[in-house]
Amino acid sequence: QTFSLPDLPYDYGALEPAISGEIMQLHHQKHHQTYITNYNKALEQLNDAIEKGDSAAVVKLQSAIKFNGGGHVNHSIFWKNLAPVREGGGELPHGSLGWAIDADFGSLEKLIQLMNAEGAALRGSGWVWLALDKELKKLVVETTANQDPLVTKGPTLVPLLGIDVWEHAYYLQYKNVRPDYLKNIWKVMNWKYASEVYAKECPSS
Amino acid sequence: MSWCCTYNPLPLYSRLQVTDFSCSWQLKNAQKMLLSLGKKPEKKKQFYRFQTPSKVVAYYRLKTPPYKLDALEPYMSKRTLEMHWEEHHRAYVEGLNKQLANDDILYGYTMDELVKVTYNNGNPLPEFNNAAQVWNHDFFWESMQPGGGEMPELGVLQQIEKDFGSYTNFKEKFTESAFTVFGSGWIWLVLKREERQLAIIKTSNAITPLVWDDIPIICLDMWEHAYYLDYKNDREKYVNTFMNHLISWNVAMERMARAEAFVNLGEPKIPIA
């Protein structure tokens, strides 16, 4: 099975001025596509190695699969996490997710502050996540390095929102001022999607 | 201040009990010893023999690259140099100085020593990230020159041919490794002390082969900020441009020459009588 680039549910320029169209186009058409291409290549090589019974090769390919596969997984979630303002981007969460945020973090402002702080402090490349711990039924904020998917931080974690803090996600527009990028991305955050995922995992309790 | 420099064989804790007289330098030597034993020094309050009214603060300065910021055009734009050097590199220097202002425990080290000490044998202190990035970027600017690229000569070429087969082979391996740096990191050509060989090493984030006691010869910054403004996501072009137009084999030669003082690279040619 080969994977292909999912379409963006909005135009490249639809998230301006929070995220520029140039960045969205490069991010989607170049970066995400590269992850998918290399993921497919690594999977093909993995299948070959499995058929041949070449265990050394199978193990060696794991890092490429984790990196490229993780990149594909993470970015697929990321595109759904964002929405143009006219389609509800930035609208505050209501319902069960809103109450859960208040219960677990105190208030939405505190959550945003925490995620921004974690995102700004992340060294190098990675992601900052708002996640639901399925087992504990709690919301948590986690960071992952490089393209590690959220599950590497805990098998019971379900990603609700992820923010890409790799430099390619903001450099052309915000240069090295990552905190500004983090402040502005909330204006196009798709809380509707996060609420849907949350409601599915935690049906009205 | 001869009392300051005499090494007191008393164990550290008993000296601390006579804290009013403990010299901050003796304390630091003891802590240096602790560090070399792999123990993390605790941040103890420094008791000074003479209370000085003003605090002495050590700081490191931002070193300027050995060329003007537009000298690497068109291969590395002035805009990139301005962002990379004036913003990123400067931020690391200022961050480091701010951290050092809190406590004088890390004073008195050269940049190289500071990187190794703050690496703390794999359990890095908070200052490591800034210290290592300052060192790495200094090394990086010096690894490039206007009109660079071309081939290495003389001893460097000989060593490359000995350890990689040919210059083309080395170039291929170097660029391959650069492409497979996952995330933020650096790619290095180092001289390994034990193996007495050149090697290509990838490191992530701020790590530098200095902490493994290797001798770095050339490095290339693979963090996205190093190439994004000029090449966007085209890493291949960036690395190839570096190899063909920016890399300074002159500096590599100087560094190899210095490395030969520490690593015996060949058998001496002893004439048979």
Side-chain angles (χ1 to χ4, degrees):
Chain A
Q1 193 202 0
T2 45
F3 294 89
S4 56
L5 188 63
D7 283 327
L8 278 189
Y10 37 80
D11 287 332
Y12 290 129
L15 301 179
E16 303 237 3
I19 305 182
S20 73
E22 195 190 4
I23 289 185
M24 288 304 294
Q25 187 173 11
L26 275 169
H27 206 171
H28 182 245
Q29 276 181 0
K30 297 283 162 99
H31 290 272
H32 192 176
Q33 181 62 66
T34 307
Y35 289 126
I36 290 177
T37 313
N38 291 337
Y39 181 44
N40 286 334
K41 212 167 38 173
L43 283 178
E44 208 187 298
Q45 290 171 337
L46 181 70
N47 281 328
D48 282 340
I50 292 179
E51 273 174 30
K52 287 203 212 111
D54 187 351
S55 305
V58 169
V59 175
K60 197 171 103 162
L61 285 164
Q62 296 309 312
S63 67
I65 289 179
K66 183 174 173 201
F67 181 67
N68 292 302
H72 173 50
V73 165
N74 293 339
H75 284 89
S76 304
I77 300 174
F78 190 48
W79 308 135
K80 293 192 228 156
N81 282 153
L82 304 171
V85 174
R86 64 165 189 279
E87 285 171 32
E91 243 176 58
L92 303 177
H94 305 294
S96 53
L97 180 57
W99 300 329
I101 289 177
D102 286 339
D104 291 329
F105 296 103
S107 68
L108 183 63
E109 286 75 40
K110 290 221 185 90
L111 168 63
I112 291 181
Q113 234 175 22
L114 178 62
M115 282 187 79
N116 287 352
E118 292 278 328
L122 198 152
R123 297 240 178 87
S125 313
W127 291 74
V128 59
W129 303 94
L130 170 65
L132 166 68
D133 188 330
K134 268 196 295 202
E135 225 180 274
L136 302 175
K137 295 265 189 278
K138 250 189 105 185
L139 293 175
V140 288
V141 168
E142 271 294 350
T143 55
T144 52
N146 297 340
Q147 292 296 354
D148 294 352
L150 185 59
V151 292
T152 55
K153 276 290 172 94
T156 54
L157 294 177
V158 175
L160 300 175
L161 287 179
I163 304 181
D164 189 351
V165 290
W166 279 63
E167 284 171 328
H168 65 234
Y170 60 89
Y171 206 73
L172 292 177
Q173 188 179 355
Y174 295 97
K175 306 291 187 307
N176 68 324
V177 192
R178 200 192 271 180
D180 277 357
Y181 160 69
L182 290 168
K183 206 170 56 177
N184 285 323
I185 200 173
W186 294 102
K187 301 188 184 143
V188 288
M189 200 57 82
N190 188 358
W191 284 106
K192 260 193 282 192
Y193 170 77
S195 302
E196 279 165 21
V197 177
Y198 181 76
K200 205 165 61 159
E201 296 290 337
C202 281
S204 303
S205 41
Chain B
M1 298 263 263
S2 60
W3 56 269
C4 198
C5 302
T6 53
Y7 175 62
N8 191 332
L10 280 178
L12 179 62
Y13 74 90
S14 77
R15 197 183 312 130
L16 273 182
Q17 278 166 353
V18 197
T19 44
D20 294 298
F21 300 97
S22 85
C23 166
S24 65
W25 283 104
Q26 282 178 325
L27 200 60
K28 202 183 72 143
N29 279 334
Q31 269 151 350
K32 227 173 169 169
M33 196 178 69
L34 269 181
L35 273 166
S36 70
L37 294 171
K39 298 204 177 89
K40 204 164 158 168
E42 311 141 85
K43 287 190 189 271
K44 296 256 191 241
K45 265 213 168 337
Q46 307 289 322
F47 290 91
Y48 298 99
R49 179 141 184 177
F50 302 105
Q51 288 287 12
T52 44
S54 61
K55 198 168 160 222
V56 175
V57 179
Y59 64 92
Y60 294 88
R61 67 178 178 93
L62 177 65
K63 219 165 154 191
T64 14
Y67 36 76
K68 297 242 276 282
L69 294 186
D70 59 3
L72 298 179
E73 298 258 10
Y75 309 111
M76 191 175 275
S77 66
K78 179 171 181 213
R79 202 167 57 126
T80 298
L81 253 315
E82 281 174 345
M83 273 307 306
H84 200 173
W85 178 68
E86 279 176 18
E87 305 281 336
H88 290 267
H89 194 176
R90 188 183 292 280
Y92 288 125
V93 171
E94 288 177 356
L96 178 63
N97 288 335
K98 230 187 335 203
Q99 282 171 321
L100 292 178
N102 294 331
D103 200 325
D104 67 1
I105 241 182
L106 290 171
Y107 284 13
Y109 292 111
T110 62
M111 208 60 224
D112 285 35
E113 291 172 341
L114 186 66
V115 169
K116 291 189 197 168
V117 158
T118 49
Y119 184 65
N120 200 16
N121 285 317
N123 205 358
L125 306 177
E127 292 82 354
F128 174 72
N129 194 62
N130 285 325
Q133 284 291 70
V134 171
W135 193 93
N136 292 342
H137 282 89
D138 281 339
F139 197 81
F140 179 48
W141 303 131
E142 288 162 7
S143 298
M144 296 190 287
Q145 68 172 73
E150 299 189 12
M151 292 254 302
E153 289 170 350
L154 307 172
V156 178
L157 182 60
Q158 259 178 27
Q159 193 65 35
I160 286 182
E161 288 177 342
K162 182 156 151 237
D163 295 328
F164 294 101
S166 68
Y167 174 67
T168 332
N169 219 9
F170 155 73
K171 192 166 161 196
E172 230 180 77
K173 273 220 164 115
F174 191 81
T175 43
E176 277 297 319
S177 298
F179 300 153
T180 57
V181 172
F182 288 158
S184 308
W186 299 77
I187 182 96
W188 305 81
L189 172 64
V190 301
L191 182 63
K192 291 197 126 337
R193 279 183 215 255
E194 291 288 322
E195 294 87 331
R196 298 197 264 162
Q197 265 193 338
L198 287 174
I200 297 172
I201 294 191
K202 288 188 276 198
T203 60
S204 60
N205 290 357
I207 309 265
T208 156
L210 210 62
V211 305
W212 302 308
D213 215 23
D214 293 332
I215 305 178
I217 304 290
I218 286 285
C219 84
L220 176 56
D221 191 350
M222 294 305 295
W223 282 62
E224 283 178 324
H225 64 235
Y227 58 88
Y228 214 76
L229 293 177
D230 292 335
Y231 299 98
K232 308 281 188 321
N233 74 317
D234 200 346
R235 271 176 144 193
E236 279 92 46
K237 198 154 168 231
Y238 167 62
V239 179
N240 285 320
T241 308
F242 173 78
M243 289 305 288
N244 294 331
H245 299 287
L246 288 173
I247 194 173
S248 173
W249 288 116
N250 287 332
V251 164
M253 210 154 44
E254 283 171 28
R255 291 169 176 164
M256 275 292 277
R258 188 173 176 276
E260 280 168 17
F262 300 92
V263 180
N264 187 1
L265 281 176
E267 293 304 316
K269 287 198 177 74
I270 303 175
I272 306 168

